[in-house]
Amino acid sequence: MSDPHRQHRGHRHHHPHHPDDEAHTPGHRSPARPWHRLAPHSHDSADHLDSALESSARGLRALWVSLAVLGATALAQAAVVVVSGSVALLGDTVHNIADALTAVPLGIAFVLGRRAATRRFTYGYGRAEDLAGIVIVLTIAASAVLAAWTAVDRLLDPRPVAHVPAVAVAALVGFAGNEWVARYRIRVGRAIGSAALVADGLHARTDGYTSLAVLLSAGGAALGWRLADPVVGLAITAVIVLVLRNAAREVFRRLMDAVDPVLVVRAERVLAEVPGVRGVGELRLRWIGHRLRAEVALVVDGEATVRQAHRIAVEAEHALLHAVPRLTAALVHADPAPAPGEADPHLTLAHHTTA
């Protein structure tokens, strides 16, 4: 058979791809081809905005809102730094400013991710999010180094803290601002499937811990313990390292195309229930930014016509788009069930797949 899947590579439909959506109205048809690419489609041509663009917009909104909150937090702390001369609070303020600035690479990534695919970047620019995630992980690592260096420096050269009550209030403000931003970023990041935004939220949480360190050190200073600040600073450095490990693992898995195995099991189960599917072969899922793509080979009746095989492929893709959250595109290949004595039609490709 010729390569029919070269036709209509740009065939697109819009779809909110929620698992509990109602069934499609029958009658959708497209050119027959066993290997069928289907992008998101909709139950109504005038339905919602494309979900991928909508999720990018949510990510951008989360970034700018958190940038405003952290900016206000840093300004409030900076005012107390000027009055108190607290080096600990100055370090915390710098951390908050750095955390706010991580919105810049991630914002750029979300904007790039909304651009259409090109002949050079045929999958689009969604991977920019993963690159931003690397920048965020490096920023967390830099925060850990700075926290450790400051703590060791203060162990060697303890310094008194002036205006302790004002420093304590500023520390609480810093913690509250960072924790709110952390929860907001992590919630939105998980909702839209953005590992980079989740990592950025974890980074905000590390700065919240730093603010608590300032609060505890201020309490120790009020009690006359001059080493309270560096000791607590070292403890917080250890916490930052733990958060760094989790964020780095999340971004590394995304870069390596890791997905939740539960999604694979769900996709296989749904495909096996599609009428006309005799078996599910190779199934692959991968993230591109905060969007999922799928590739799957199905076994169908060897005597099925091209149109029948195409119909099964479309129904299989439709089922996937409903069942797998944040799936925006699927590529389904229909393999004929082997007949007795028939040679495997894929033998021609065997020498291309061997190591």
Side-chain angles (χ1 to χ4, degrees), residues 1-15 24 27-42 123 271 274 282-284 293-298 300 305-321 327-335:
M1 179 182 294
S2 62
D3 189 10
H5 62 277
R6 291 184 179 274
Q7 306 171 27
H8 302 282
R9 283 287 188 183
H11 184 57
R12 295 183 62 84
H13 306 272
H14 294 286
H15 186 284
H24 251 297
H28 168 76
R29 300 193 62 83
S30 58
R33 48 196 170 96
W35 189 299
H36 179 74
R37 179 188 182 281
L38 186 65
H41 57 287
S42 169
Y123 281 95
L271 289 170
V274 174
E282 187 176 53
L283 171 64
R284 294 181 179 180
R293 296 180 67 94
E295 296 178 7
V296 60
L298 300 178
V300 301
T305 66
V306 173
R307 292 187 180 276
Q308 291 170 333
H310 172 262
R311 177 183 54 79
I312 295 171
V314 170
E315 292 178 358
E317 291 170 313
H318 189 199
L320 275 180
L321 289 168
L327 181 67
T328 59
L331 193 63
V332 176
H333 175 69
D335 281 325

Side-chain angles (χ1 to χ4, degrees), residues 204-295:
R205 181 158 286 163
T206 65
D207 284 347
Y209 294 149
T210 304
S211 296
L212 285 183
V214 176
L215 178 63
L216 293 176
S217 67
L223 295 175
W225 185 28
R226 300 184 66 184
L227 294 181
D229 186 28
V231 170
V232 173
L234 287 176
I236 294 302
T237 299
V239 174
I240 293 175
V241 170
L242 291 177
V243 174
L244 171 64
R245 182 193 65 178
N246 293 336
R249 180 173 56 191
E250 185 82 12
V251 173
F252 173 77
R253 287 177 176 175
R254 188 59 60 89
L255 289 171
M256 295 299 294
D257 287 332
V259 297
D260 187 347
V262 172
L263 293 179
V264 178
V265 173
R266 179 187 299 180
E268 290 175 336
R269 183 176 66 249
V270 168
L271 289 170
E273 295 174 353
V274 174
V277 173
R278 294 193 173 185
V280 180
E282 187 176 53
L283 171 64
R284 294 181 179 180
L285 297 172
R286 71 184 306 188
W287 288 99
I288 300 179
H290 53 272
R291 308 162 194 170
L292 271 174
R293 296 180 67 94
E295 296 178 7

Side-chain angles (χ1 to χ4, degrees), residues 69-70 73-74 77 89 92-93 96 99 167-183 204-216 236:
V69 172
L70 288 177
T73 300
Q77 289 184 312
L89 188 58
D92 188 37
T93 304
N96 287 332
D99 186 42
V167 173
V169 171
L172 287 174
V173 170
F175 171 75
N178 277 289
E179 182 60 21
W180 187 91
V181 166
R183 290 173 181 266
R205 181 158 286 163
T206 65
D207 284 347
Y209 294 149
T210 304
S211 296
L212 285 183
V214 176
L215 178 63
L216 293 176
I236 294 302

